[in-house]
Amino acid sequence: MWENDRSRRKMAERKRQIQKRITVSASLAAVVLVLLFVFFFHRNTGTKKMTYQKAGMDAWEQYDIGDPVKQVPQPELDVQLLTVNEYSRPGIATDGVRGVVVHYTANPGSTAQNNRDYFESLKDTGENQVSSNFIIGLDGEIIQCIPTNEIAYASNNRNNDTVSIECCHPDESGAFQEMTYQSLVELVAFLCGKFNLTMDNVIRHYDVTGKNCPKYFVEHEDAWNAFKEDVAKYIEENGN
């Protein structure tokens, strides 16, 4: 009888040990499941966040800047930077270049040097606030007045994120001479490559404010479209 009691106690102890092991194993399994759940939850959440951020960046590139264009050689520039002053070169950095704005001087027969010297004189006269990053002359010469990372007083509420180009013209029609036109094509093509812009980012002063500038390109929409086609063709043929 004593042997029977001893056997029963051993069996009972064995059952308790087995139950204890089962309980411990179940607890460990539960902990592992919780940890796995937390791990995958955070992993998926992080992935979604990264995907969303990437989508936002791609959208910016697609709709604001566009696909990259080829870089063409820089045209010859006559760099004559204006003196820093509050009337023509304020020395204020841009917010990043997101466009190129084409203008005409509205001063028939004047040269690029005439217009550059007028901008420089404003530091003394203070009679106006006006300038441009570049001026293209009647013979195709290009004078740079302001660095492209600084604003010019040319394009109103787009001064902070564009580069401006003033073009000389021989008469009241505002039409550019062939050499002026060709230099404009080459300069705009170069700036598009430098700042990763497309033809959608090449605009007229008219497109900013409704001003009749550049006059010939505003009054002849087909000529404006042909100009942008010429820029795109020049990039395709000369870019790397």
Side-chain angles (χ1 to χ4, degrees), residues 49-104:
K49 184 176 181 182
M50 289 173 63
T51 301
Y52 174 79
Q53 290 174 341
K54 186 177 188 300
M57 182 178 65
D58 289 346
W60 171 266
E61 292 175 351
Q62 180 179 355
Y63 297 114
D64 191 79
I65 298 298
D67 296 329
V69 298
K70 298 177 180 179
Q71 181 65 68
V72 302
Q74 177 180 300
E76 182 178 349
L77 302 177
D78 181 3
V79 180
Q80 299 184 40
L81 299 182
L82 304 177
T83 303
V84 175
N85 71 92
E86 62 181 307
Y87 297 101
S88 56
R89 185 190 170 189
I92 300 172
T94 68
D95 296 330
V97 176
R98 299 184 181 90
V100 176
V101 186
V102 178
H103 305 254
Y104 86 133

Side-chain angles (χ1 to χ4, degrees), residues 134-184:
F134 299 94
I135 308 168
I136 301 179
L138 297 170
D139 295 323
E141 70 276 22
I142 304 173
I143 296 179
Q144 182 173 11
C145 302
I146 298 176
T148 55
N149 62 352
E150 292 182 20
I151 72 168
Y153 289 139
S155 305
N156 303 78
N157 63 315
R158 293 299 304 275
N159 286 337
N160 66 309
D161 71 345
T162 58
V163 171
S164 59
I165 305 172
E166 289 278 357
C167 299
C168 297
H169 50 99
D171 55 45
E172 293 288 349
S173 72
F176 304 143
Q177 296 191 146
E178 182 59 33
M179 288 185 289
T180 304
Y181 183 90
Q182 185 57 39
S183 289
L184 180 61

Side-chain angles (χ1 to χ4, degrees), residues 13-69:
E13 180 64 25
R14 189 177 294 114
K15 287 181 180 179
R16 283 194 297 270
Q17 291 294 331
I18 292 172
Q19 289 176 347
K20 183 177 180 181
R21 290 172 185 169
I22 292 173
T23 301
V24 171
S25 297
S27 299
L28 289 173
V31 170
V32 170
L33 288 173
V34 170
L35 290 174
L36 288 172
F37 174 81
V38 171
F39 171 77
F40 283 108
F41 175 80
H42 283 288
R43 182 181 179 184
N44 290 338
T45 302
T47 301
K48 289 178 182 178
K49 184 176 181 182
M50 289 173 63
T51 301
Y52 174 79
Q53 290 174 341
K54 186 177 188 300
M57 182 178 65
D58 289 346
W60 171 266
E61 292 175 351
Q62 180 179 355
Y63 297 114
D64 191 79
I65 298 298
D67 296 329
V69 298

